[in-house]
Amino acid sequence: MPTDQAPEGASSPDARPVLRFQATRRAKPQAHLADFDLAGRKQLLKEAGFPAFRADQLSRHYFTHLTTDPQVMSDLPAKGREELTDLAFPPLVEQVVVRSGDQGMTRKYLWRLFDGAEVESVLMRYPSRATLCISCEVGCGMACPFCATGQMGLTRNLSTAEIVEQVRLARKACEEGELGGDPCHLSNVVFMGMGEPMVNYRAVLGAVRRLIADPPEGFGMSARGITVSTVGLVPGIKKLTAEKIPVTLAISLHAPDDELRDQLIPLNSRFKVSELLDAAYEYFQATGRRVSIEYALIKNMNDQAWRAGLLADLLNARGRGWAHVNPIPLNPTPGSIWTASESRVQAEFVDTLESKGITTTIRDTRGQDIDGACGQLATKSMKERLGSE
C-alpha cells in the first residue's frame, strides 16, 4: 500500500480513560490523493495501472488549481481521464449549509461526509489575513461541559483527506471572492474546530504536511501560519515536539488550578496543569515558537483576577516570553448555563496578566449571529434530522 495513509479513525490509547464514545464501527473513507505524500500517490496510481508521473499532474490540479473537475484537466488524456480523477478524488466532503456573518467577512460551513456524518469549518477574513478554523473529528470525546462539540461525544476521526478538503474548498472560496466580495489569500489554518487534534494525531500530522509541502505535493503554506490546538493530551504534545515542525501550539487551558480545571476539562484528571505547561514549554524550547494559551472567560467560574495572577506566575516560573495568553469571551451555546464574563471583569483579568509581564490579546470573537461557536451548527443540524425521523 502507499505510504503515509490516514488511520482508520481509532482513538489514541493515551486519551481512552476520558473519552465518551457514541460511535458504532463505520466504513473507512475511500483513499484520496490527499491522504498520501507524493511517493504514495505514485504508488497508488501504479497499482491501479496508471503511469506514476500522472501523480504530479493530479497533484498540481488539486493543490495549485484547487480543482477536482476532470473537464478542466486538459493535460490528461481524454481516454481514462475520468477514471483517473475518480481514483484520485473520491467525493468525501459535500457542502450542506453555509452561513455568512460579520458583513460577509465570516462564513461558517456545515459539511456532510461520505458516511452522512457532519462537521464544521469557519472562514474568517481580517485586514491582513484570512484564517480557516477546521475540524479533525466528528464530535469530540473530551466532554468539556461548556463546549457544544464536547457534549456531542465522539463519532469518529476524520481522515487526512477529509481534513485537507476543508482547506482546499476554503482556499477556492477565498480566491473566487466569496469572502468579503473580492479575492483574497488563505494564509492561516487553525485546528480549533470540532475534535481534539492529538487524539487523531496521525491524520492531523498528515494534513499539516500537505498544507506546508511545496507544490505540487502540497499547498506550500507557511508552518508559522498553522496552529494546532489541544486541551492537554501531553503524549501528543511530546510527539509534535519531536517533529520539530514550527507550527504554533495552542493549549486550551481555561483554568490555572487543578481543582477547577478538573471540572472544566475532564482530561485534567490524567494530565495536570503543571505537567501540561511543562510539555508546552518543552515545545517552545524545541521549536522556538511561542505557545498560545487559550482561556475562555466564563462568568463567575474562571474569570477571577487571582486566577489570572496564578496563571501568570505559572508561566513566568518556566521562563519569560515563551507564552502568549488569549482570553476568549465565551460564545455561549443556546440554552447553556455558561455565559461570557462581564467587560469589567474581563478587563481586570487582562490587566492582572499584563502587570506580571504576560503578553495578552483578547480573542476577536466571530460568527455569533451564525452559530459560530464550535459544534453549534452541527448540533442544530443533528437535532433537526433526529426530529424529522
Side-chain angles (χ1 to χ4, degrees), residues 109-127:
Y109 298 90
L110 182 67
W111 307 107
R112 184 164 295 140
L113 308 179
F114 80 100
D115 57 357
E118 294 177 345
V119 296
E120 305 167 349
S121 58
V122 184
L123 184 58
M124 298 159 284
R125 185 169 184 171
Y126 299 92

Side-chain angles (χ1 to χ4, degrees), residues 6 27 64 170 173 176 179 206 230 234 254 311 316-317 326 353 357:
T64 302
E176 294 180 352
L179 186 64
T230 178
V234 169
H254 308 313
L311 173 57
N316 286 332
N326 287 319
L353 288 168

